[in-house]
Structure formats: structure tokens, C-alpha cells
Amino acid sequence: GAQQQKVGDNEDQGAVFVFDNINGTWTMTQEITATDGGAGDTFGSSIAFDGTTAVIGAYGAMIDAAPLGAAYVFTLADGTWTQTQKLTADDSNPAGLLNFGFSVGLSGSTILVGADAATFGANDFQGAVYVFNETGGTWTQTQKFSGDDAGIGDIFGISLAFDGTNAVVGAYAQNQGTGAAYVFANSGGTFTQTQKLVASDAATAAYFGGAVALSDSTILIGSFSANPGGVDSQGAAYIFTNTGGIWTQTQELLADDGVASDQFGRALALDGTTALIDAPGAAGPEGPDAGTAYGA
């Protein structure tokens, strides 16, 4: 994803670049853009990919003359990705904000789209996740859900992970930025909340849930503004494992060279027994540029 890519004359329209592994070498084979893309769409800000289907978020896309956001479905055939559908929320309000497509998830015939600025009930900026199911090649919205105790300004849906059976959704602004993550079970296409996760050392302005990942019986949750040992915004990531259907925190991960403002845990990925954790504020190597936030 390259959400600020200029396309034609459109600044920040965004694009997605496809790389294929050919004889051990990764080679760019296609640049994907939305067929109706415009300036400021931020297409590529989120991506989920499952075999021959991809869903790409564009949370700034114009809907009814307002930047409410959209998500685009692409299908792979004969080596080429082609746009097949544009998804939007069924309750978009042109007078409000939505950020539909800020996060996305995909597994089989189910797509989840996060809209972290969505109004839920009477709560502005509570955030929500929209569920789309595919039948006969067409994706249709079937549900909108949020945390059972989520409220105004929680930003539920800023992050999500989905493996077909479970979904984990971050609400990093809840409780003065302490943050939380919610687990939902998918049963017959309907999502039901089963647990709310918080850090064992929860603190205000830690932004727990700003990033989430899920693999088998393990959940990884980033808290990029956490202050471990009193070190401001060093950041941390938390491991939760599932035993008997209950998710329990089993470890807090820190960078071995972490310092203030690293923001360790801002983005992350998890695949079985390997985790990759981003620290965008981490300083560069020794020398003239020491202290520059190169990231790691």
C-alpha cells in the first residue's frame, strides 16, 4: 500500500503495488488503483488478502460529496488483479465522519471493514466494524457491530485482525487513551463479542489496541505510547493466548534497546511463532545521524 501515491493529477489518491515471487526473486507485477479514485482517497491505507481476493481501504474516498471512505474488492484471474466491487456503509451520514476502510479484514467469504469515526447509537466517534458476506459473487453488508461497553470517542475499529473464526478489534482511545481490544466470535456469519482485553499494566494515554494481530491461539496487541519502566512512549506489545476458550495475557514484549519515543508496537504482524513489531520512532545508528527517528 502507498496511500499518498499521486495518480495522474490526483495528490494522495493512493495505490497498491503487487509483487510476485518468481524463482526466488520478488518482482513488481502490477500497480492497482481504484477505477473511480480521486485526490485524497488514501487508497491502500489498509489491505487484507486471501488467495485470489483482496480488499483495500480508502478511508478518505468521497461518498455523497463527503470523505466518508470506501473499501474496494479486487479479484485475481490469469495473473491480473481487477476491481470487482466497491463497498460502502449502508448508514453513511454525509454530515458526519466515518473513516470507513481505516482497517480491513478478510477470510473466505467474509470481509470486515473498520470505521473508527463511525457513530454508533448516539455516540459520535465510538467506531464500528461492518460485516460483508459474499453470495454468488456479490458482497452484501450483513451486520454492524461495536464493543458492548464502547462509548463516545473510543475509536473502535482503528485496527482489526480476522482469521475466519475470531476477530480482534482495537479501540485505542477508550478510557482516556488507556485502550482496549475486543474479541468477537464468528458463528454462521454473525459476530458476537466474547471478551474484552486490556493490558495488565494499563495506563492512560498508552493507546493499547492501536495495532492488533491474530494467529491461531495467539493475539498480539500493540500499545505504542506505553511507558514501561517510566520511559515515555517507549511502547510495548502484549501476547494473549487462548486456553479453554479464554484469552489471557502471558507476556509483555519490549525492545531490548528501547528508549523514549520509540513507539514500539505502532504496527505489527504475527504468523504462528514469529512476530514482527514496528518502532517508527527508533533512532538511527551511531554517527552523524544518531538520534534521528529512522524507525526499526
Side-chain angles (χ1 to χ4, degrees):
Q3 68 178 38
Q4 292 179 291
Q5 178 79 1
K6 184 177 181 179
V7 180
D9 294 328
N10 295 331
E11 298 284 354
D12 300 331
Q13 176 176 325
V16 169
F17 295 84
V18 181
F19 290 78
D20 286 306
N21 190 320
I22 302 172
N23 299 323
T25 299
W26 292 93
T27 304
M28 191 185 117
T29 54
Q30 191 176 350
E31 178 179 348
I32 296 173
T33 57
T35 57
D36 63 347
D41 280 1
T42 64
F43 176 90
S45 55
S46 60
I47 302 171
F49 167 48
D50 185 8
T52 58
T53 304
V55 56
I56 300 170
Y59 70 88
M62 300 296 289
I63 307 296
D64 296 328
L68 299 175
Y72 294 83
V73 181
F74 285 77
T75 302
L76 177 66
D78 299 324
T80 300
W81 291 92
T82 304
Q83 182 180 319
T84 53
Q85 197 170 340
K86 177 180 180 180
L87 309 180
T88 57
D90 66 356
D91 60 350
S92 294
N93 176 9
L97 291 174
L98 194 61
N99 283 356
F100 182 92
F102 199 90
S103 59
V104 293
L106 166 65
S107 181
S109 60
T110 303
I111 287 173
L112 303 184
V113 181
D116 64 18
T119 297
F120 197 90
N123 295 332
D124 292 336
F125 295 97
Q126 175 172 321
V129 169
Y130 295 77
V131 181
F132 292 80
N133 287 306
E134 184 268 336
T135 303
T138 300
W139 296 88
T140 304
Q141 184 182 322
T142 55
Q143 189 179 353
K144 174 185 177 181
F145 66 80
S146 191
D148 62 6
D149 66 346
I152 296 171
D154 279 0
I155 315 297
F156 177 95
I158 190 169
S159 60
L160 67 84
F162 174 46
D163 67 0
T165 302
N166 290 296
V168 184
V169 185
Y172 84 151
Q174 188 175 85
N175 189 20
Q176 296 181 309
T178 299
Y182 295 80
V183 183
F184 290 78
N186 178 16
S187 178
T190 299
F191 287 81
T192 303
Q193 184 180 319
T194 57
Q195 201 169 339
K196 177 183 178 180
L197 309 179
V198 295
S200 60
D201 58 352
T204 58
Y207 295 116
F208 176 91
V212 297
L214 168 65
S215 182
D216 299 322
S217 59
T218 304
I219 291 172
L220 180 62
I221 302 175
S223 183
F224 66 85
S225 197
N227 306 325
V231 182
D232 187 42
S233 296
Q234 176 180 326
Y238 297 80
I239 294 287
F240 290 77
T241 56
N242 189 311
T243 303
I246 302 298
W247 296 93
T248 304
Q249 182 184 319
T250 54
Q251 195 173 353
E252 180 178 355
L253 307 181
L254 305 174
D256 59 7
D257 61 350
V259 297
S261 301
D262 277 0
Q263 296 188 17
F264 178 86
R266 188 72 186 241
L268 44 80
L270 176 65
D271 184 11
T273 58
T274 302
L276 181 65
I277 302 174
D278 172 39
E286 299 285 338
D289 293 331
T292 303
Y294 280 109

